[in-house]
Amino acid sequence: MASENTRKWAIIPEPNSMTVGEGTVLLPYAGRVNESIAIGDGDFLLAHQLVADIRSATGTDWDIATGDMWSGFIRLRIADSWDFDSQDGGTAGAYTLTINTDGITITSCDFEGVRNGVQTLRQLIRQNGAVLPVLQIEDAPAYRIRGYYLDATRGRVPTLAWLKQWADKLCLYKYNQLQLYIEHTFAFDGMSETWRGSSPLTPADTLEFDQYCANLGIELVPSVSTFGHQYVAMRTQELRELGEFPEDADRPFSFIERMRHHTLNVADDRAFAFSAQLVDSYLQLFRSKRFNICADETFDLGKGKSKQEAQRVGVAALYATYVGKLCEHLSQQGREPMFWGDIAIEMPEILETLPNNVTLLNWQYEPEATDEKIQLVAQAGAKQIVCPAVWGWNALLPRIDDAWNNIARIARYGLDCGAEGMLVTDWGDFGHVNDPRMAVPGMIFGAQYAWNPAGDTAENDLLERISRVEYGDCSARFVALLRNASAQAVFTWRELVEYLELDDGTGNCNTDVAQTIPCLADRLVDHLSDCGNAMTVREARNRMMRNMATTIERIPQANRALQQCMVDIAPIAAHMGNPGITAAVRIAMEGQLLLNRVGFALAEAHDVRDAHDAGDWRPSDYRALARELECWCEAYAKEWNATSQPSELHRIQETVWKAADELRRISK
């Protein structure tokens, strides 16, 4: 791309080959899009997308036609012959785009390629209006599969209207696959005890959304937990006996325990019948031949009810046998199984047992991830899709630097190792406090690097391009300011949940929670041997806050920087004309300011620092802070409703209220 000194527009993903000519092309005030019927776009959606953007950018209304008897200033065509090859040696998704004084032509050998070219043109129209640059683009994706994985189960169930908006956005950035993560939030017949109160998605929602995605050139792939992550189901009266630890089913709900205790007892034949029923009923609602059975993080496998069987055959064999059986069940119905690869990579002998038609979803979320796991799968000869993350979970503000580092690395590693695609994940651990709109920069990182992993794209340059293309920000500073704000998150939602959930309800430390906190995990056994009794919640919280002492000292400075970000971003947001994202960003920033202050107050209450020390450390007004938290929570709830059904909003609210009550308690 040319420098910003010569051009004030951008294209995402950046095209592989683009030549910008001299001069500009003025769109006619009464033009027409001619879309060839050979493209296979039955409702002429692509032409309608262009007409809608032209109307929005210029105020003029264009016509749509097909056939060689009708002229068109914009022409969408299927090539009679095709010489341009994509990077992987194929042609799927490749296109050419020509803009000159004779008009605009998009050509490809398939629907997806024309669709991709249309999205490039739409981005140009949105930024330039009726005056477009003269240019020639030859472009193709590096990855055949460019997917997005959205958590729709751990707190938020998106509204169907918002899901459609998200699919529109994925289409604009040339994604061609979408999966929704489901544990308990689907209205399966006979499982009302599992999904009650969760605002579950329904078969009608799925059928409508599947059709909507198909029209956009996006494959909606069914994905449902069939092995691990059965926390809610395994706590019901009807299904608890299928779990590894049915005796724990009545323990108080915990965000942290939900992430760790949830595995089916696959030594029980009823477990397979349960999983097969989920698979069989769910797959009938999708046109995709792929099916993701998940099967990740089976932490409890072989530790509870299945312990005896695991000792007999081994945990790896127990896992591989069950997953293999599910994959075979899908294969018999003409489906292509996929599942998360964490367990198989931990126990590489599992890789040798995988059927040829199984795809491993190889997830790695570390910002400094290496290619070791991706190479391991490639060397085993297994098919894989690499899976980085947008880094939004457990936080009000997205960790943009972490997302960029993770996605850029994993995309390059996957390409080098022959991965079939990239699936960018967007998780909602701990109640899905993260507003899904905060994931847009990470999603666009994924779009860029799934298209062209080998490109030399600097992070700051990409942030500027996202600001222009996605947010209409002429200053190109919006996303950088959002990144700077996220860097000021000192005491996050995760730390608040950990602090509160250390209380098991009896005054003792919840050891399952403590084991997830590094500074406590190593101390639990030592404390018991030293003192002869369990660690109290007070002792656990003291240790947690003291471990954060150096970090907590940053809070006054961090909050000043965060407030300055709010000041700087406000006029930019006012000119973007997007009140939804403006409100979401403001609420997230205000929430982080409060979380930082809560962490500061808790550290003070645990005598981490002397409240009368010099500097920024000042005594907190605990009750005033509690009231501010409660008022913020009401505003947060309103923004929740902009994208999501009620689902588990109440759990977020209860956590905030618990924090407010704790502040009032320590004020006495």
Side-chain angles (χ1 to χ4, degrees), residues 503-613:
D503 186 352
D504 70 355
T506 69
N508 287 320
C509 171
N510 185 324
T511 55
D512 280 333
V513 171
Q515 286 169 1
T516 69
I517 304 173
C519 69
L520 295 178
D522 295 337
R523 182 61 184 147
L524 288 173
V525 175
D526 293 340
H527 182 91
L528 187 60
S529 61
D530 292 345
C531 305
N533 57 358
M535 187 181 291
T536 67
V537 65
R538 177 71 185 183
E539 289 168 332
R541 287 174 170 174
N542 277 341
R543 180 169 290 275
M544 175 185 170
M545 297 310 299
R546 285 172 184 162
N547 188 66
M548 293 187 67
T550 303
T551 305
I552 293 286
E553 289 181 3
R554 287 187 48 233
I555 285 176
Q557 178 185 355
N559 272 11
R560 285 193 295 271
L562 184 49
Q563 287 169 327
Q564 187 59 52
C565 286
M566 293 168 66
V567 169
D568 293 341
I569 212 168
I572 294 172
H575 287 90
M576 292 188 331
N578 189 339
I581 192 62
T582 300
V585 168
R586 176 64 186 275
I587 292 298
M589 289 185 176
E590 292 282 3
Q592 187 55 59
L593 281 170
L594 288 169
L595 282 175
N596 282 349
R597 289 174 57 198
V598 169
F600 197 80
L602 293 176
E604 180 182 282
H606 285 274
D607 299 321
V608 171
R609 285 284 305 271
D610 185 340
H612 301 291
D613 279 356

Side-chain angles (χ1 to χ4, degrees), residues 183 290 354 636 640:
E183 289 176 11
R290 296 182 175 91
L354 296 180
Y636 174 86
W640 176 287

Side-chain angles (χ1 to χ4, degrees), residues 4 16 21 85 159 201 213 275 282 304 314 353 466 496 524 577 613 616 656:
E4 289 297 306
N16 290 288
D85 285 344
T159 64
L201 293 166
C213 288
S275 296
Y282 204 43
T353 69
I466 294 171
L496 179 63
L524 288 173
D613 279 356
D616 286 316
V656 173

Side-chain angles (χ1 to χ4, degrees), residues 162-193:
W162 187 82
L163 282 173
K164 290 179 178 179
Q165 292 174 29
W166 191 250
D168 289 337
K169 200 173 293 294
L170 293 177
C171 175
L172 180 64
Y173 295 105
K174 305 183 178 74
Y175 279 87
N176 62 7
Q177 188 183 106
L178 172 62
Q179 300 186 32
L180 303 181
Y181 176 53
I182 299 295
E183 289 176 11
H184 64 284
T185 53
F186 195 83
F188 289 105
D189 282 353
M191 292 185 61
S192 56
E193 189 187 3

Side-chain angles (χ1 to χ4, degrees), residues 35-46 48 66 111 214-215:
E35 179 178 351
S36 170
I37 201 163
I39 293 169
D41 179 16
D43 295 328
F44 297 98
L45 173 70
L46 301 178
H48 282 291
T66 191
F111 167 81
N215 291 344

Side-chain angles (χ1 to χ4, degrees), residues 272 325-337 357:
F272 182 78
K325 194 174 177 182
L326 280 173
C327 290
E328 178 61 25
H329 182 73
L330 279 163
S331 298
Q332 289 173 355
Q333 301 178 72
R335 305 288 167 148
E336 300 172 17
N357 68 333

Side-chain angles (χ1 to χ4, degrees), residues 60-77:
T60 59
D61 287 313
W62 277 41
D63 191 16
I64 292 173
T66 191
D68 57 11
M69 298 296 291
W70 297 92
S71 63
F73 192 79
I74 298 176
R75 299 172 291 275
L76 312 182
R77 295 286 178 262

Side-chain angles (χ1 to χ4, degrees), residues 35 128 165 203 205 252 285 350 431 455 545 657:
E35 179 178 351
N128 294 285
Q165 292 174 29
D205 295 331
L285 305 174
I350 295 173
M545 297 310 299
W657 299 336

